[in-house]
Amino acid sequence: MSNNNNGVAIVPEHLAIIMDGNGRWAKKRILGTSRGHRAGVEALRTVLRAARARGVRYMTVYAFSSENWKRPSDEVSALMALLKRYLANEVAELKQEGVRLSFIGRRDRLGDDIVAMIEAAERDTADREAFRLNLAVDYGGQWDISNAARLLAEEVAAGRLSPSDINESTVHHHTALSELPAPDLLIRTGGDVRISNYLLWQSAYTEFYFCDTLWPDFGAADLDAAIDEFATRQRRYGGRTEDAVC
Ligand code: IPE
Ligand code: IPE
Ligand code: MG
């Protein structure tokens, strides 16, 4: 993360996005929900390019939450088909542009064909270093933390770890994205002001930016506005950035 002399962050190194509002975007146009999700993929392309141009290094986007299975089955099917199409059409270009693709979330509830495509995309782009795009699919922050607890419990049961070794650091190393710096900025589009079970552990000191723009309408200028606002934030992490008199 870059800072100016006052400890003010300039460009987020790691940007997280809750891409919300596809359904309302489609409804406003009297279109089916899946058209909104398709428009959302276009917005992702645009924002990825703009984020790279602004100097962002890592981007983690919420594509499908662990609660989105509750949606009508035809919408879930359309979203899965869209993910497959994205993987089939985009991976070669992302690879060529130096983008490493990673997925966070559960894999045991996804179709075997999607899991195979996810694994192939991760393998094919594993050596790319210019930019990292993480897609959160069947991801939930509560799952992430409880999964870390389960993995640690297994290590304790196997005698490789003692309960007293469990602390912030060991939990952290079993959560998603532990190899990356925490998100500096989290943007949620679509007007709702909540976290919807996104990166609960990872966002402990993330700056939040909420905007009303529906995700398919979110473009480079909106990203600039979010980053400009981020640049004004004072990040203290519980400490003090200025001299204080007691
Ligand atoms: C976000 O858009 C995309 C996913 C959850 C997959 P929504 O589909 O939630 O859009 P709204 O909130 O209904 O407008
Ligand atoms: C969060 O949006 C999930 C994604 C953007 C993938 P939702 O639309 O599912 O969130 P809620 O239900 O409004 O909290
Ligand atoms: Mg929504």
Side-chain angles (χ1 to χ4, degrees):
M1 180 197 61
S2 34
N3 287 304
N4 70 13
N5 292 338
N6 299 320
V8 174
I10 304 163
V11 173
E13 184 179 20
H14 186 170
L15 171 65
I17 308 180
I18 301 177
M19 308 182 291
D20 197 24
N22 296 349
R24 280 162 285 165
W25 183 93
K27 201 168 178 189
K28 260 172 58 181
R29 287 164 178 75
I30 326 172
L31 294 169
T33 309
S34 61
R35 287 288 297 280
H37 293 313
R38 262 158 55 193
V41 174
E42 283 303 318
L44 175 59
R45 278 194 196 100
T46 305
V47 172
L48 176 64
R49 213 175 306 123
R52 290 190 63 181
R54 283 294 299 252
V56 172
R57 286 291 317 279
Y58 315 108
M59 200 165 112
T60 303
V61 299
Y62 212 2
F64 191 87
S65 79
S66 49
E67 286 74 40
N68 286 150
W69 296 109
K70 293 180 195 161
R71 296 200 176 191
S73 63
D74 57 346
E75 183 178 355
V76 171
S77 304
L79 282 164
M80 293 299 152
L82 200 57
L83 175 59
K84 277 202 256 183
R85 197 168 338 139
Y86 182 78
L87 288 168
N89 296 341
E90 306 279 321
V91 175
E93 195 179 324
L94 290 170
K95 182 178 176 182
Q96 208 191 353
E97 290 173 355
V99 178
R100 177 174 176 184
L101 203 58
S102 295
F103 286 77
I104 59 169
R106 290 177 64 163
R107 298 201 181 172
D108 59 313
R109 301 193 291 192
L110 299 174
D112 291 345
D113 49 351
I114 293 190
V115 173
M117 290 177 88
I118 284 175
E119 288 173 356
E122 289 186 329
R123 211 172 36 241
D124 284 356
T125 61
D127 64 349
R128 303 294 130 146
E129 290 180 349
F131 191 84
R132 171 98 166 244
L133 174 64
N134 306 304
L135 285 167
V137 175
D138 197 5
Y139 177 86
Q142 292 177 338
W143 163 80
D144 196 358
I145 296 167
S146 60
N147 187 56
R150 186 180 50 75
L151 293 170
L152 287 164
E154 284 170 5
E155 289 184 36
V156 171
R160 289 192 297 269
L161 201 72
S162 136
S164 61
D165 292 328
I166 297 178
N167 54 34
E168 289 93 327
S169 171
T170 46
V171 173
H172 179 76
H173 283 100
H174 289 78
T175 54
L177 307 175
S178 62
E179 73 281 21
L180 299 180
D184 299 293
L185 173 65
L186 186 149
I187 296 173
R188 182 176 186 139
T189 63
D192 285 314
V193 183
R194 57 174 169 261
I195 190 92
S196 297
N197 201 14
Y198 201 27
L199 304 163
L200 300 180
W201 177 271
Q202 297 82 350
S203 62
Y205 275 101
T206 297
E207 297 295 326
F208 291 95
Y209 180 88
F210 296 96
C211 67
D212 291 336
T213 309
L214 303 173
W215 175 248
D217 291 328
F218 192 90
D222 302 285
L223 180 69
D224 282 347
I227 292 178
D228 289 350
E229 155 81 31
F230 172 77
T232 68
R233 303 272 178 97
Q234 281 270 338
R235 304 184 76 187
R236 286 181 291 279
Y237 302 94
R240 239 180 245 303
T241 50
E242 288 152 26
D243 291 341
V245 178
C246 286

